[in-house]
Amino acid sequence: MNREDYKRVFSHVSPSEETIERILNMAEKKQKRFKLKAVLLAAAVVILMLCTLIAADAATGGDVFKLEVNGEQVGVVDYVVKTYTGTDENGNEFVYEAVEIPSTNQNIILDVNSAKIEYVGETTGDIVVGVKSALQEDVTAE
Amino acid sequence: MTEAEFTDAVKNCNQRLFLIALSFTGNSADAEDILQNVFIKLWKYDKGFENDEHMEKWLTAVTVNESKNFVKSAFFKHSVPIDEKNIGDYYSFENTEDYDLFSAVMSLPKKLRTVIHLFYYEDLSVKEISDILKISQSACKTRLNRGRAQLKNFLGDEWRNE
């Protein structure tokens, strides 16, 4: 036996196609998860702008902002649990509070003055909807 | 690592890494599990590689470590193969000599098989093998010689020592 014989013989031995598919799919799924995160982040940014109205909502007794989870209207205040730091497109840091919906498979509808933002489907983690504190203060001040 | 880079790495290295794992486990199902773990580690590795050679060396080292841990695990030690079929029967070879060589290598004790495989297939030197397996060079030479002697015994006239 020499090296060439050995290599030739072992070149016929390889993992199953199913295993290779599984490994490649694993990366694809992970990539999709990252994309989903990006989508959620983008949604959070949009909502961030719209949700400045949440303060006005509080001021008007809940007429402006409605949050529905799985078809049921819930109190936004119940979900405002954390303060986060974000960075805007100009690199400036800002602090915002977040509406955090901590479970998966939920249909979520945010209705801000009839502008609806809907998310339906599975998520791999928490959905965070930001509310910019500074703007909130501005609105509150009004 | 991008998805494209990962896909290339899987396509280019899967067979080589599978064979290293197989030289430890002696069965393809466990070798495939190890292969999957290795690629999960590659996917999660975020420090980057200087070049392809660096990545291949990293993959070899990770495969050896994963395989060593696997064969040391209680699961592996206490598992009994359901199928008693010769592992060579799962693959198709050009002729019976090739089948005999593969079966002979796979019938070697694990310690001899891994050294034989790293030497003949991976083209590693005795020093490189001793480094990667964390054994002395003399132990490596002994295993290599014993492995060759056993293969000669199995294969008879088909054996030509290099």
Side-chain angles (χ1 to χ4, degrees):
Chain A
M1 176 182 73
N2 58 33
R3 279 198 168 97
E4 279 63 45
D5 289 337
Y6 190 101
K7 286 179 182 176
R8 182 176 45 76
V9 169
F10 276 78
S11 68
H12 294 277
V13 180
S14 54
S16 65
E17 287 296 319
E18 292 78 32
T19 301
I20 301 304
E21 278 295 304
R22 200 164 58 236
I23 292 168
L24 292 173
N25 287 342
M26 181 180 76
E28 236 170 62
K29 275 183 193 164
K30 190 94 179 172
Q31 204 77 2
K32 276 181 192 161
R33 230 176 277 165
F34 281 135
K35 278 179 190 161
L36 179 62
K37 274 186 187 169
V39 167
L40 288 173
L41 190 67
V45 170
V46 172
I47 293 163
L48 179 75
M49 288 147 63
L50 291 171
C51 288
T52 53
L53 292 168
I54 194 171
D57 177 59
T60 56
D63 288 342
V64 178
F65 189 92
K66 285 176 190 153
L67 173 62
E68 277 184 31
V69 177
N70 286 343
E72 225 174 276
Q73 196 171 325
V74 293
V76 175
V77 177
D78 298 342
Y79 285 87
V80 178
V81 285
K82 282 180 187 170
T83 302
Y84 292 90
T85 306
T87 310
D88 68 15
E89 60 211 19
N90 300 319
N92 302 317
E93 273 203 348
F94 59 85
V95 177
Y96 61 95
E97 287 184 300
V99 178
E100 192 172 79
I101 301 149
S103 59
T104 56
N105 294 318
Q106 289 185 323
N107 299 344
I108 294 151
I109 300 171
L110 286 159
D111 183 346
V112 184
N113 265 3
S114 78
K116 282 193 178 180
I117 296 168
E118 191 168 349
Y119 177 76
V120 180
E122 273 186 52
T123 66
T124 53
D126 296 344
I127 298 172
V128 177
V129 180
V131 183
K132 196 172 179 178
S133 290
L135 290 175
Q136 188 179 342
E137 279 164 20
D138 288 348
V139 175
T140 313
E142 285 171 13
Chain B
M1 171 167 274
T2 64
E3 194 180 341
E5 287 168 341
F6 179 79
T7 303
D8 282 349
V10 173
K11 285 183 178 165
N12 295 334
C13 304
N14 76 75
Q15 200 218 6
R16 191 175 71 75
L17 302 178
F18 171 74
L19 289 175
I20 294 174
L22 187 66
S23 74
F24 278 87
T25 64
N27 76 77
S28 44
D30 291 337
E32 287 183 353
D33 285 347
I34 291 168
L35 186 69
Q36 193 168 320
N37 290 344
V38 170
F39 281 117
I40 287 173
K41 288 199 166 170
L42 175 67
W43 182 247
K44 287 181 176 171
Y45 187 77
D46 56 3
K47 290 179 187 164
F49 299 102
E50 289 161 19
N51 48 40
D52 286 352
E53 195 189 344
H54 180 210
M55 185 184 70
E56 293 208 6
K57 277 191 175 173
W58 183 89
L59 283 170
T60 304
V62 171
T63 307
V64 168
N65 288 336
E66 280 286 317
S67 303
K68 279 165 84 176
N69 290 339
F70 186 84
V71 296
K72 269 194 276 180
S73 69
F75 170 78
F76 183 76
K77 283 179 182 167
H78 295 105
S79 60
V80 181
I82 314 167
D83 195 350
E84 291 300 326
K85 209 162 121 179
N86 187 322
I87 188 170
D89 297 336
Y90 290 102
Y91 304 102
S92 50
F93 295 98
E94 284 171 13
N95 51 51
T96 52
E97 285 79 18
D98 289 358
Y99 174 89
D100 290 344
L101 174 58
F102 178 76
S103 299
V105 172
M106 294 314 292
S107 67
L108 289 173
K110 177 184 72 67
K111 282 184 177 180
L112 308 186
R113 192 171 59 220
T114 49
V115 172
I116 287 281
H117 183 77
L118 293 172
F119 183 82
Y120 282 98
Y121 195 87
E122 291 292 318
D123 291 330
L124 297 182
S125 66
V126 167
K127 184 178 181 318
E128 286 169 322
I129 296 169
S130 59
D131 285 345
I132 206 165
L133 293 179
K134 296 186 176 66
I135 56 173
S136 67
Q137 287 193 42
S138 59
C140 182
K141 277 181 197 164
T142 307
R143 289 182 194 184
L144 198 53
N145 289 333
R146 281 190 191 155
R148 283 176 178 145
Q150 289 199 20
L151 285 175
K152 190 177 181 182
N153 198 29
F154 285 131
L155 296 167
D157 291 342
E158 287 174 35
W159 171 260
R160 285 175 288 121
N161 202 359
E162 189 187 55

